[in-house]
Amino acid sequence: MKISSRFSVAVHILSLLAIAKDAHCTSEWIAQSVNTHPVVIRRILGMLKKAGFVKIPKGSGGAYLIKDLDDITLLDVYRAVDAVPGGELFQFHEHPNPACPVGGNIEAVLQLILLRAQAAMEQILADVTMEQLVENLNEKIGS
Amino acid sequence: MKISSRFSVAVHILSLLAIAKDAHCTSEWIAQSVNTHPVVIRRILGMLKKAGFVKIPKGSGGAYLIKDLDDITLLDVYRAVDAVPGGELFQFHEHPNPACPVGGNIEAVLQLILLRAQAAMEQILADVTMEQLVENLNEKIGS
DNA sequence: CTTGTTGTAACCATTATAGTTACATTTTTG
DNA sequence: CAAAAATGTAACTATAATGGTTACAACAAG
């Protein structure tokens, strides 16, 4: 299975908040850019709020950034929206037969490698900040 | 979402076939080691057959390897069982609003990075052969 | 012919996702 | 104060993928 689109939507939202700094960014307004339902946006915004990236006035609405984009890596966003439930990318078949030499040991041996693979993927995300991404985005928009 | 356990089961199966070289490895027998239903095994074995890793006599049964384990990387297995449907690890939210500067450009900018993250993960899998894994497994079993 | 096995189709339960409706709560403003 | 505009959240739906299961036709070998 694929990694939830919550992640790409969250990046979209944060980029919007950064670029439309002065707009009144309601869930309704954001939803139009993402092209989805406002409640979907509110759910994800809620996670970004819990992570301390944004603030959302309750009655008046309009989310805004409260953390420097340089201090938010893509991995932080990935984690904030729980892009992979539980954090482990690879699903194991649980309870192989412990009486079998292979069944009893394969999990430990394979796990070593899969965690390394996961770490390699996450490292790429950790190496890119939202600041850099928004910079790229601005270049692309400008051209 | 997580990557299908088909992958770890497939690795388990290939390891079994390698280590129990002389056994009559029926889906029933393999299923006992994996601790699942024989049909699940047959489904995955079918994919490994299609990939050219194993052969399966039809009436008499008992799968066996027909490819050198040194020539099968974990990535090959990963691909053989379609561990991530379609091959793209990250799910995008489709059809962002093209009229919005952010909505119209975020996908291209983000995609660059996510494909790099996916490639980094797959590279780790590509760097480990089933031969190496079975070696590790044998050490672990021996100790 | 009988037995054991594969290959497949069909169905089910479970889980996660994304979208949607509904509504209580809160803030602002007239 | 009352109306308007938001949020936060619960509940429900539809869809998809997964893993397990049953059933059965096809096939090989003793």
Side-chain angles (χ1 to χ4, degrees), chain A residues 128-141:
Chain A
V128 179
T129 64
M130 278 301 305
E131 175 69 29
Q132 291 164 0
L133 186 132
V134 168
E135 226 172 276
N136 289 355
L137 187 54
N138 269 326
E139 278 172 31
K140 182 120 189 161
I141 293 174

Side-chain angles (χ1 to χ4, degrees), chain A residues 61-133:
Chain A
Y64 56 92
L65 290 164
I66 56 168
K67 189 163 182 179
D68 194 330
L69 284 194
D70 244 332
D71 292 335
I72 305 179
T73 69
L74 290 190
L75 182 59
D76 293 329
V77 181
Y78 175 90
R79 296 236 165 99
V81 298
D82 200 25
V84 165
E88 292 226 336
L89 184 56
F90 291 89
Q91 175 99 41
F92 269 83
H93 182 274
E94 52 300 324
H95 314 310
N97 187 344
C100 164
V102 173
N105 292 285
I106 183 81
E107 194 153 345
V109 172
L110 186 53
Q111 182 77 309
L112 271 182
I113 297 158
L114 299 191
L115 288 181
R116 241 163 53 216
Q118 175 178 342
M121 185 273 279
E122 294 183 351
Q123 188 57 53
I124 302 291
L125 300 185
D127 284 345
V128 179
T129 64
M130 278 301 305
E131 175 69 29
Q132 291 164 0
L133 186 132

Side-chain angles (χ1 to χ4, degrees), chain B residues 4-6 36-37 39-40 42-43 58-60 83 85:
Chain B
S4 168
S5 71
R6 276 196 303 274
T36 183
H37 198 282
V39 171
V40 173
R42 277 181 238 155
R43 275 207 281 253
K58 205 148 189 202
S60 55

Side-chain angles (χ1 to χ4, degrees), chain A residues 8 11 74 133, chain B residues 92 106-115:
Chain A
S8 64
V11 171
L74 290 190
L133 186 132
Chain B
F92 270 83
I106 183 81
E107 194 153 343
V109 172
L110 186 54
Q111 182 77 310
L112 271 182
I113 298 159
L114 299 192
L115 288 182

